[in-house]
Amino acid sequence: LDIPYFKKFFLSKPHTVWLIEDKLKGLLCVAVSLPAAYAQNHHEDENTPLGTLVRTRLGTELVTIKGTKRLKKKIINTLNLCSDCEMKEIKDQRISNSLAELEFKELSDRKHYKIGILYCHPDNKSENDMFCNCEESEDFKEFLAWLGDKIKLEGWTKYTGGLDTKLKSTGEHSIYTEHRGVEIMFHISTYLPYTEDDDQQVERKRHLGNDVILLVFKENNTPFDPNNIRSQFNTIFGAISKVENENDPENTYYQLSIARAFGIYAFPPDIPSPPIFKKDDLFRDFLLTKLINGERQAMHSKNIFAPRLERARLGALKMLFREYWKDHDVTNF
Protein backbone atom coordinates (compact mmCIF):
# COMPACT_ATOMS: atom_id res chain seq x y z
CA LEU A 1 0.00 0.00 0.00
CA ASP A 2 1.46 3.36 -1.04
CA ILE A 3 -1.31 5.46 0.52
CA PRO A 4 -1.25 6.49 4.22
CA TYR A 5 -4.50 4.68 4.95
CA PHE A 6 -4.06 4.63 8.71
CA LYS A 7 -3.30 8.33 8.96
CA LYS A 8 -6.08 9.29 6.55
CA PHE A 9 -8.91 6.97 7.58
CA PHE A 10 -8.12 5.82 11.13
CA LEU A 11 -5.89 8.11 13.18
CA SER A 12 -8.25 11.04 13.78
CA LYS A 13 -11.44 8.97 13.56
CA PRO A 14 -13.06 6.35 15.80
CA HIS A 15 -11.25 3.03 15.55
CA THR A 16 -10.09 0.09 17.60
CA VAL A 17 -6.79 -1.80 17.45
CA TRP A 18 -6.29 -5.50 18.16
CA LEU A 19 -3.09 -7.48 18.61
CA ILE A 20 -3.45 -11.13 17.61
CA GLU A 21 -1.32 -14.26 17.75
CA ASP A 22 -2.49 -16.97 15.37
CA LYS A 23 -0.99 -20.47 15.04
CA LEU A 24 -0.86 -20.24 11.25
CA LYS A 25 -0.48 -16.55 10.46
CA GLY A 26 1.70 -15.57 13.40
CA LEU A 27 1.52 -12.04 14.78
CA LEU A 28 -1.04 -9.57 13.46
CA CYS A 29 -2.06 -6.01 14.22
CA VAL A 30 -5.62 -5.20 13.13
CA ALA A 31 -7.12 -1.71 13.10
CA VAL A 32 -10.90 -1.50 12.58
CA SER A 33 -12.67 1.77 11.79
CA LEU A 34 -15.80 2.36 13.84
CA PRO A 35 -19.00 4.21 12.88
CA ALA A 36 -19.76 7.40 14.82
CA ALA A 37 -22.86 5.84 16.42
CA TYR A 38 -20.82 3.02 17.92
CA ALA A 39 -18.12 5.36 19.15
CA GLN A 40 -20.69 7.56 20.92
CA ASN A 41 -23.05 5.04 22.52
CA HIS A 42 -21.71 1.59 21.53
CA HIS A 43 -24.73 0.96 19.35
CA GLU A 44 -23.98 -2.30 17.56
CA ASP A 45 -25.19 -3.27 14.11
CA GLU A 46 -24.75 -6.11 11.64
CA ASN A 47 -24.22 -4.48 8.25
CA THR A 48 -22.19 -1.27 8.40
CA PRO A 49 -19.00 -1.88 6.37
CA LEU A 50 -15.92 -1.25 8.47
CA GLY A 51 -12.58 -0.51 6.86
CA THR A 52 -9.98 -2.80 8.40
CA LEU A 53 -6.21 -2.48 8.08
CA VAL A 54 -4.37 -5.75 8.65
CA ARG A 55 -0.62 -5.75 9.31
CA THR A 56 1.31 -9.05 9.17
CA ARG A 57 4.89 -10.09 8.51
CA LEU A 58 3.94 -10.44 4.82
CA GLY A 59 2.68 -6.89 4.45
CA THR A 60 -0.33 -4.65 5.02
CA GLU A 61 -3.72 -5.09 3.38
CA LEU A 62 -7.09 -3.38 3.54
CA VAL A 63 -10.19 -5.55 4.03
CA THR A 64 -13.82 -4.94 5.00
CA ILE A 65 -15.69 -6.28 8.03
CA LYS A 66 -19.48 -5.90 8.17
CA GLY A 67 -20.98 -4.59 11.40
CA THR A 68 -19.71 -4.08 14.92
CA LYS A 69 -21.85 -6.80 16.49
CA ARG A 70 -19.69 -9.76 17.62
CA LEU A 71 -16.70 -7.87 16.22
CA LYS A 72 -14.10 -10.24 17.68
CA LYS A 73 -15.69 -13.24 15.97
CA LYS A 74 -16.02 -11.34 12.70
CA ILE A 75 -12.34 -10.47 12.75
CA ILE A 76 -11.50 -14.17 13.19
CA ASN A 77 -13.81 -15.25 10.36
CA THR A 78 -12.89 -12.48 7.93
CA LEU A 79 -9.16 -13.09 8.34
CA ASN A 80 -9.50 -16.89 8.41
CA LEU A 81 -7.83 -17.14 11.80
CA CYS A 82 -7.82 -20.15 14.07
CA SER A 83 -10.75 -20.17 16.47
CA ASP A 84 -8.39 -20.42 19.45
CA CYS A 85 -6.13 -17.55 18.42
CA GLU A 86 -5.11 -15.16 21.17
CA MET A 87 -6.49 -11.62 20.82
CA LYS A 88 -6.29 -8.45 22.84
CA GLU A 89 -8.04 -5.15 22.18
CA ILE A 90 -5.54 -2.41 22.99
CA LYS A 91 -7.03 0.43 25.00
CA ASP A 92 -3.80 2.40 25.18
CA GLN A 93 -4.33 5.19 22.66
CA ARG A 94 -0.58 5.57 22.13
CA ILE A 95 -0.66 2.55 19.84
CA SER A 96 -2.40 4.66 17.20
CA ASN A 97 0.53 7.07 17.15
CA SER A 98 2.93 4.12 16.96
CA LEU A 99 1.07 2.76 13.94
CA ALA A 100 1.04 6.17 12.26
CA GLU A 101 4.79 6.54 12.79
CA LEU A 102 5.41 3.04 11.44
CA GLU A 103 3.29 3.75 8.36
CA PHE A 104 5.10 7.05 7.77
CA LYS A 105 8.51 5.36 7.85
CA GLU A 106 7.44 2.61 5.46
CA LEU A 107 5.93 5.05 2.97
CA SER A 108 8.92 7.35 3.28
CA ASP A 109 11.22 4.49 2.24
CA ARG A 110 9.16 4.03 -0.93
CA LYS A 111 9.51 7.70 -1.84
CA HIS A 112 13.31 7.76 -1.76
CA TYR A 113 15.59 5.94 -4.18
CA LYS A 114 19.33 5.82 -4.69
CA ILE A 115 20.62 4.75 -8.10
CA GLY A 116 24.20 3.96 -9.00
CA ILE A 117 25.68 5.44 -12.19
CA LEU A 118 28.87 3.72 -13.35
CA TYR A 119 30.96 5.25 -16.15
CA CYS A 120 32.40 2.72 -18.63
CA HIS A 121 35.27 3.99 -20.83
CA PRO A 122 36.00 2.18 -24.13
CA ASP A 123 39.30 0.91 -22.69
CA ASN A 124 37.71 -0.62 -19.59
CA LYS A 125 37.94 -4.40 -19.46
CA SER A 126 36.79 -5.13 -15.93
CA GLU A 127 34.68 -3.91 -13.03
CA ASN A 128 37.79 -2.49 -11.36
CA ASP A 129 38.67 -0.54 -14.51
CA MET A 130 35.25 1.13 -14.49
CA PHE A 131 35.42 2.04 -10.81
CA CYS A 132 38.87 3.57 -11.31
CA ASN A 133 37.66 6.07 -13.92
CA CYS A 134 38.14 9.69 -12.89
CA GLU A 135 37.92 11.55 -16.19
CA GLU A 136 34.51 12.08 -17.83
CA SER A 137 33.71 12.45 -21.50
CA GLU A 138 31.55 15.28 -22.78
CA ASP A 139 28.87 12.72 -23.67
CA PHE A 140 28.78 11.47 -20.06
CA LYS A 141 28.58 15.03 -18.74
CA GLU A 142 25.70 15.73 -21.13
CA PHE A 143 23.90 12.61 -19.90
CA LEU A 144 24.29 13.56 -16.22
CA ALA A 145 23.05 17.11 -16.86
CA TRP A 146 19.95 15.67 -18.55
CA LEU A 147 19.41 13.08 -15.80
CA GLY A 148 19.15 15.51 -12.88
CA ASP A 149 20.50 18.57 -11.12
CA LYS A 150 24.10 18.80 -10.01
CA ILE A 151 23.93 19.71 -6.33
CA LYS A 152 26.50 20.66 -3.70
CA LEU A 153 26.51 18.07 -0.95
CA GLU A 154 27.75 20.30 1.85
CA GLY A 155 24.66 21.68 3.58
CA TRP A 156 22.24 19.66 1.42
CA THR A 157 18.95 19.24 3.31
CA LYS A 158 16.88 17.00 1.05
CA TYR A 159 17.27 13.25 0.51
CA THR A 160 20.96 12.31 0.66
CA GLY A 161 21.00 8.65 -0.39
CA GLY A 162 23.58 8.00 2.32
CA LEU A 163 26.03 10.66 1.07
CA ASP A 164 27.92 12.87 3.50
CA THR A 165 26.61 16.45 3.66
CA LYS A 166 29.00 17.72 6.33
CA LEU A 167 32.58 16.49 5.96
CA LYS A 168 32.84 15.98 2.16
CA SER A 169 33.88 12.36 2.71
CA THR A 170 31.76 11.29 -0.28
CA GLY A 171 32.79 14.12 -2.57
CA GLU A 172 31.59 17.64 -3.14
CA HIS A 173 28.73 17.12 -5.62
CA SER A 174 26.12 14.64 -6.75
CA ILE A 175 23.14 14.40 -9.09
CA TYR A 176 19.64 14.68 -7.60
CA THR A 177 16.13 14.83 -9.02
CA GLU A 178 12.46 14.49 -8.12
CA HIS A 179 10.20 12.30 -10.22
CA ARG A 180 6.47 11.69 -9.80
CA GLY A 181 6.51 12.41 -6.09
CA VAL A 182 9.71 10.53 -5.24
CA GLU A 183 13.24 11.77 -4.57
CA ILE A 184 16.23 10.20 -6.30
CA MET A 185 19.88 10.62 -5.38
CA PHE A 186 22.33 9.24 -7.91
CA HIS A 187 25.64 7.77 -6.79
CA ILE A 188 27.99 8.87 -9.59
CA SER A 189 31.15 6.77 -9.71
CA THR A 190 33.33 9.63 -10.94
CA TYR A 191 32.00 12.04 -8.31
CA LEU A 192 32.92 9.82 -5.38
CA PRO A 193 36.47 10.23 -4.04
CA TYR A 194 39.21 8.24 -5.77
CA THR A 195 41.57 6.30 -3.50
CA GLU A 196 45.19 5.97 -4.59
CA ASP A 197 46.72 2.47 -4.52
CA ASP A 198 43.28 0.82 -4.37
CA ASP A 199 42.54 -1.07 -7.58
CA GLN A 200 39.08 -2.05 -6.34
CA GLN A 201 38.06 1.45 -5.20
CA VAL A 202 36.25 0.03 -2.17
CA GLU A 203 34.82 3.38 -1.08
CA ARG A 204 33.14 3.92 -4.45
CA LYS A 205 31.84 0.36 -4.48
CA ARG A 206 30.51 0.84 -0.95
CA HIS A 207 27.88 3.15 -2.40
CA LEU A 208 27.21 1.82 -5.89
CA GLY A 209 27.54 -1.79 -4.73
CA ASN A 210 24.75 -1.29 -2.19
CA ASP A 211 22.32 0.16 -4.71
CA VAL A 212 19.60 -2.11 -6.07
CA ILE A 213 19.81 -0.32 -9.42
CA LEU A 214 23.06 0.11 -11.32
CA LEU A 215 22.97 2.08 -14.57
CA VAL A 216 26.12 1.86 -16.70
CA PHE A 217 26.91 4.62 -19.18
CA LYS A 218 28.89 3.00 -21.98
CA GLU A 219 31.13 4.90 -24.37
CA ASN A 220 31.10 3.83 -28.03
CA ASN A 221 28.75 0.94 -27.27
CA THR A 222 31.40 -0.79 -25.15
CA PRO A 223 30.25 -4.34 -24.23
CA PHE A 224 28.95 -4.72 -20.68
CA ASP A 225 28.18 -7.97 -18.86
CA PRO A 226 26.27 -7.65 -15.54
CA ASN A 227 27.86 -10.91 -14.42
CA ASN A 228 31.14 -9.04 -14.07
CA ILE A 229 29.69 -6.91 -11.27
CA ARG A 230 30.20 -8.49 -7.85
CA SER A 231 27.47 -7.27 -5.52
CA GLN A 232 24.77 -8.82 -3.37
CA PHE A 233 22.50 -5.81 -3.86
CA ASN A 234 22.82 -4.87 -7.55
CA THR A 235 19.91 -6.76 -9.09
CA ILE A 236 18.57 -4.35 -11.72
CA PHE A 237 21.13 -3.40 -14.36
CA GLY A 238 20.77 -0.83 -17.09
CA ALA A 239 23.20 -0.09 -19.89
CA ILE A 240 22.87 3.13 -21.84
CA SER A 241 25.01 4.57 -24.62
CA LYS A 242 24.86 7.46 -27.04
CA VAL A 243 24.12 6.46 -30.65
CA GLU A 244 24.00 8.27 -33.95
CA ASN A 245 20.75 8.90 -35.80
CA GLU A 246 21.42 9.73 -39.43
CA ASN A 247 17.87 11.00 -39.89
CA ASP A 248 18.19 13.47 -37.02
CA PRO A 249 21.86 14.42 -36.53
CA GLU A 250 21.01 17.59 -34.59
CA ASN A 251 19.64 15.71 -31.57
CA THR A 252 21.09 13.20 -29.13
CA TYR A 253 19.83 9.62 -29.07
CA TYR A 254 20.43 6.83 -26.59
CA GLN A 255 20.26 3.06 -26.75
CA LEU A 256 18.98 1.37 -23.58
CA SER A 257 19.00 -2.21 -22.34
CA ILE A 258 17.82 -3.55 -18.99
CA ALA A 259 18.76 -6.81 -17.24
CA ARG A 260 17.44 -8.24 -13.99
CA ALA A 261 18.67 -10.89 -11.59
CA PHE A 262 17.18 -14.37 -11.65
CA GLY A 263 13.88 -14.51 -9.76
CA ILE A 264 12.79 -10.95 -10.54
CA TYR A 265 9.78 -10.69 -12.82
CA ALA A 266 9.59 -8.30 -15.76
CA PHE A 267 8.39 -4.79 -14.96
CA PRO A 268 6.88 -1.92 -16.98
CA PRO A 269 7.18 0.11 -19.09
CA ASP A 270 8.25 -2.23 -21.88
CA ILE A 271 11.32 -1.31 -23.92
CA PRO A 272 10.49 -0.96 -27.63
CA SER A 273 12.40 -2.54 -30.50
CA PRO A 274 14.74 -1.08 -31.51
CA PRO A 275 15.53 0.32 -28.04
CA ILE A 276 16.55 3.74 -29.36
CA PHE A 277 15.29 6.91 -27.67
CA LYS A 278 15.60 10.60 -28.34
CA LYS A 279 17.06 12.54 -25.42
CA ASP A 280 14.01 14.46 -24.25
CA ASP A 281 11.66 14.75 -21.29
CA LEU A 282 9.57 11.83 -22.53
CA PHE A 283 12.51 9.43 -22.48
CA ARG A 284 13.70 10.77 -19.12
CA ASP A 285 10.26 10.02 -17.66
CA PHE A 286 10.39 6.55 -19.25
CA LEU A 287 13.87 5.79 -17.92
CA LEU A 288 13.27 6.92 -14.33
CA THR A 289 9.91 5.14 -14.19
CA LYS A 290 11.50 1.95 -15.53
CA LEU A 291 14.29 2.03 -12.95
CA ILE A 292 12.00 2.78 -10.00
CA ASN A 293 9.61 0.02 -11.02
CA GLY A 294 12.60 -2.29 -11.28
CA GLU A 295 13.60 -1.65 -7.69
CA ARG A 296 10.03 -2.10 -6.50
CA GLN A 297 9.80 -5.40 -8.34
CA ALA A 298 13.14 -6.51 -6.89
CA MET A 299 11.92 -5.77 -3.38
CA HIS A 300 9.10 -8.27 -3.86
CA SER A 301 11.31 -11.03 -5.25
CA LYS A 302 11.00 -14.10 -3.05
CA ASN A 303 14.65 -15.10 -3.14
CA ILE A 304 16.36 -11.71 -2.77
CA PHE A 305 14.81 -8.84 -0.80
CA ALA A 306 11.39 -10.13 0.27
CA PRO A 307 12.81 -12.16 3.20
CA ARG A 308 14.57 -9.04 4.52
CA LEU A 309 11.38 -7.00 4.33
CA GLU A 310 9.52 -9.82 6.05
CA ARG A 311 12.00 -9.79 8.93
CA ALA A 312 11.64 -6.01 9.23
CA ARG A 313 7.84 -6.23 9.37
CA LEU A 314 8.01 -8.99 11.97
CA GLY A 315 10.37 -6.87 14.04
CA ALA A 316 7.88 -4.00 13.95
CA LEU A 317 5.06 -6.31 15.07
CA LYS A 318 7.13 -7.67 17.94
CA MET A 319 7.84 -4.11 19.01
CA LEU A 320 4.11 -3.39 19.18
CA PHE A 321 3.47 -6.55 21.20
CA ARG A 322 6.26 -5.78 23.67
CA GLU A 323 5.06 -2.23 24.16
CA TYR A 324 1.30 -2.78 24.36
CA TRP A 325 0.88 -6.45 25.38
CA LYS A 326 3.74 -6.70 27.80
CA ASP A 327 2.84 -10.03 29.39
CA HIS A 328 2.63 -11.80 26.02
CA ASP A 329 5.78 -13.68 25.01
CA VAL A 330 6.83 -13.20 21.37
CA THR A 331 10.41 -14.46 21.65
CA ASN A 332 9.64 -17.56 19.57
CA PHE A 333 8.74 -15.53 16.47
Side-chain angles (χ1 to χ4, degrees):
L1 299 175
D2 284 346
I3 300 174
Y5 279 103
F6 187 83
K7 178 182 178 182
K8 189 172 183 179
F9 300 108
F10 293 81
L11 185 59
S12 60
K13 300 176 181 179
H15 66 278
T16 182
V17 179
W18 295 74
L19 293 180
I20 304 170
E21 181 187 333
D22 183 71
K23 292 179 181 177
L24 298 179
K25 296 191 176 183
L27 304 181
L28 299 89
C29 179
V30 179
V32 183
S33 63
L34 298 174
Y38 180 85
Q40 292 171 2
N41 53 33
H42 288 268
H43 173 72
E44 295 184 333
D45 70 274
E46 291 279 5
N47 299 312
T48 302
L50 309 175
T52 304
L53 206 57
V54 183
R55 177 181 290 274
T56 72
R57 61 183 176 82
L58 299 179
T60 303
E61 64 175 331
L62 189 64
V63 300
T64 301
I65 291 177
K66 285 193 174 183
T68 54
K69 198 169 186 178
R70 296 185 296 275
L71 181 58
K72 183 176 180 178
K73 183 177 180 180
K74 288 181 177 178
I75 291 175
I76 294 174
N77 293 338
T78 302
L79 302 183
N80 295 316
L81 302 177
C82 298
S83 58
D84 60 348
C85 66
E86 297 183 68
M87 301 177 63
K88 181 177 182 179
E89 184 178 11
I90 306 302
K91 302 296 185 180
D92 189 337
Q93 295 183 358
R94 293 180 303 145
I95 195 171
S96 297
N97 292 328
S98 296
L99 289 172
E101 292 171 3
L102 190 57
E103 180 182 67
F104 175 81
K105 182 182 182 303
E106 291 173 344
L107 293 179
S108 178
D109 291 342
R110 297 178 207 173
K111 292 187 178 295
H112 299 93
Y113 293 86
K114 49 191 183 73
I115 297 176
I117 305 292
L118 182 61
Y119 177 56
C120 181
H121 188 272
D123 295 334
N124 294 156
K125 306 298 182 185
S126 67
E127 175 189 28
N128 288 349
D129 290 344
M130 289 184 277
F131 275 100
C132 284
N133 287 325
C134 291
E135 300 296 326
E136 302 171 347
S137 69
E138 292 302 317
D139 288 342
F140 185 49
K141 292 178 181 177
E142 177 189 4
F143 171 72
L144 293 180
W146 169 75
L147 194 61
D149 298 320
K150 188 174 184 178
I151 57 99
K152 185 178 180 180
L153 286 173
E154 187 177 13
W156 181 252
T157 58
K158 293 186 178 181
Y159 177 59
T160 66
L163 298 178
D164 181 11
T165 60
K166 295 180 179 179
L167 303 177
K168 300 182 181 180
S169 65
T170 56
E172 295 189 5
H173 299 91
S174 193
I175 301 294
Y176 167 90
T177 194
E178 297 180 10
H179 173 70
R180 298 194 178 196
V182 305
E183 294 182 85
I184 304 173
M185 180 63 80
F186 296 94
H187 292 155
I188 314 300
S189 61
T190 53
Y191 284 15
L192 293 165
Y194 175 81
T195 306
E196 296 285 350
D197 301 322
D198 182 5
D199 293 338
Q200 296 187 27
Q201 294 301 311
V202 172
E203 280 303 304
R204 287 179 168 182
K205 288 182 180 179
R206 184 168 65 88
H207 291 282
L208 278 76
N210 284 309
D211 294 333
V212 176
I213 308 165
L214 184 65
L215 183 62
V216 179
F217 184 88
K218 306 187 303 172
E219 292 281 8
N220 301 333
N221 206 24
T222 307
F224 168 72
D225 184 356
N227 292 316
N228 293 332
I229 302 295
R230 297 182 296 275
S231 168
Q232 294 182 340
F233 288 90
N234 296 155
T235 50
I236 304 297
F237 297 92
I240 191 166
S241 56
K242 184 177 179 178
V243 294
E244 300 292 334
N245 186 335
E246 297 179 354
N247 297 322
D248 187 13
E250 300 298 321
N251 289 296
T252 298
Y253 284 79
Y254 293 119
Q255 179 173 318
L256 174 69
S257 60
I258 297 289
R260 61 188 189 274
F262 179 79
I264 299 177
Y265 294 112
F267 47 89
D270 295 334
I271 296 179
S273 181
I276 307 297
F277 301 85
K278 182 180 178 180
K279 190 195 79 173
D280 55 17
D281 290 341
L282 187 64
F283 175 46
R284 184 175 177 277
D285 180 83
F286 178 97
L287 176 63
L288 295 178
T289 300
K290 182 74 172 177
L291 297 178
I292 289 172
N293 285 346
E295 176 160 337
R296 289 191 168 202
Q297 188 72 286
M299 287 298 174
H300 289 89
S301 60
K302 293 182 179 180
N303 299 324
I304 304 176
F305 294 107
R308 298 175 187 175
L309 292 177
E310 186 175 321
R311 287 194 295 272
R313 296 189 197 101
L314 179 58
L317 285 167
K318 292 169 75 172
M319 178 272 294
L320 293 173
F321 272 75
R322 288 172 179 144
E323 180 67 23
Y324 300 105
W325 196 352
K326 297 182 185 298
D327 58 347
H328 193 80
D329 185 13
V330 294
T331 56
N332 292 328
F333 287 89

